Amino acid sequence: MPFRMSGYIPFGTPIVVGLLLPNQTLASTIFWQWLNQSHNACVNYANRNATKPSPVSKFIQGYLGAVISAVSIAVGLNVLVQKANKFTPATRLLIQRFVPFPAVASANICNVVLMRYGELEEGIDVLDSDGNLVGSSKIAARHALLETALTRVVLPMPILVLPPIIMSVLEKTALLQARPRLLLPVQSLVCLAAFGLALPLAISLFPQMSEIETSQLEPEIARATSSRTVVYNKGL
């Protein structure tokens, strides 16, 4: 359940709140990025095209590669911001709040590719209009991973960009200045609302059963059917 798309919001929101906490230390940045990419890796694996068997060793290799790349990107960006002496403390804090988005977006691409690399090696099944198996296509697998990677770039955009903007405004209100303990609950609610908006928007960019012209696929697949187009399960 934690790795189904329906469980993405309730299980992912606490992680998003952690990613957006101000004044992050190096240790906290590494922890939240590791937790986020671990969750993403399991979601990507659970929602892949599973027509081909995938050994546990492939999952472990993909997981380690995805998490290491994600944490490296996030830590590198944070270190660059902290060393940018030309920024005022207030500007540096504001930039640090937006660092999670490019870090998570770029890491998400690595995560999808590494967790589903087996599809690129083995190919995925393509079906004709009657649902008959036509063949296994590596080209369709590339399309599937590209479409999924694009959704993983769009997904964190509202989640990691809107809350910092909204919170920078809300923090100046008399209510939150008088009651600073409300900051974390309010930020959590803002993140939850942004997540609820972003997930269906990102998932709806491409249909799960995507269509591709047979002329774009391998010659042996194009010869195996009279259908002009075939469909494949891109995963979620």
Side-chain angles (χ1 to χ4, degrees):
M1 188 179 293
F3 310 131
R4 293 178 182 174
M5 279 300 167
S6 57
Y8 210 159
I9 294 174
F11 289 97
T13 299
I15 300 173
V16 172
V17 173
L19 285 169
L20 293 175
L21 289 173
N23 302 315
Q24 296 265 16
T25 64
L26 182 62
S28 66
T29 298
I30 291 172
F31 171 76
W32 288 113
Q33 288 291 344
W34 164 77
L35 192 60
N36 181 51
Q37 292 304 327
S38 295
H39 183 233
N40 285 345
C42 292
V43 169
N44 289 332
Y45 185 79
N47 293 279
R48 72 195 188 285
N49 181 311
T51 53
K52 300 284 191 302
S54 180
V56 176
S57 60
K58 291 276 187 183
F59 171 80
I60 294 171
Q61 288 172 11
Y63 169 76
L64 290 175
V67 170
I68 290 170
S69 63
V71 172
S72 300
I73 292 167
V75 171
L77 286 173
N78 270 310
V79 169
L80 283 175
V81 171
Q82 288 169 358
K83 289 186 175 180
N85 297 322
K86 63 181 180 180
F87 296 125
T88 64
T91 304
R92 193 179 299 125
L93 177 62
L94 186 63
I95 293 173
Q96 281 177 324
R97 283 184 161 182
F98 287 99
V99 160
F101 171 64
V104 168
S106 52
N108 280 357
I109 296 173
C110 296
N111 200 316
V112 169
V113 173
L114 290 169
M115 291 307 300
R116 295 177 56 179
Y117 189 75
E119 295 173 38
L120 294 175
E121 291 183 321
E122 303 289 334
I124 58 175
D125 291 347
V126 291
L127 313 171
D128 63 18
S129 55
D130 296 322
N132 300 314
L133 177 63
V134 176
S136 186
S137 170
K138 294 181 181 180
I139 295 174
R142 287 204 298 269
H143 280 259
L145 262 67
L146 176 62
E147 291 169 351
T148 307
L150 286 173
T151 66
R152 296 301 192 272
V153 172
V154 173
L155 177 58
M157 196 179 295
I159 302 169
L160 297 176
V161 173
L162 288 178
I165 296 172
I166 295 170
M167 288 306 299
S168 65
V169 174
L170 294 179
E171 285 169 1
K172 296 174 184 176
T173 61
L175 176 65
L176 290 183
Q177 287 187 345
R179 296 174 177 83
R181 290 183 178 179
L182 292 177
L183 277 172
L184 188 58
V186 169
Q187 179 165 321
S188 300
L189 288 173
V190 170
C191 289
L192 181 63
F195 212 156
L197 168 71
L199 184 62
L201 175 67
I203 296 302
S204 67
L205 287 176
F206 302 99
Q208 183 172 354
M209 296 303 294
S210 292
E211 192 175 65
I212 186 170
E213 292 186 5
T214 51
S215 59
Q216 297 180 31
L217 300 179
E218 292 86 344
E220 62 271 20
I221 293 178
R223 290 193 297 266
T225 180
S226 58
S227 296
R228 190 177 64 85
T229 60
V230 290
V231 296
Y232 58 90
N233 177 10
K234 76 167 183 64
L236 289 175

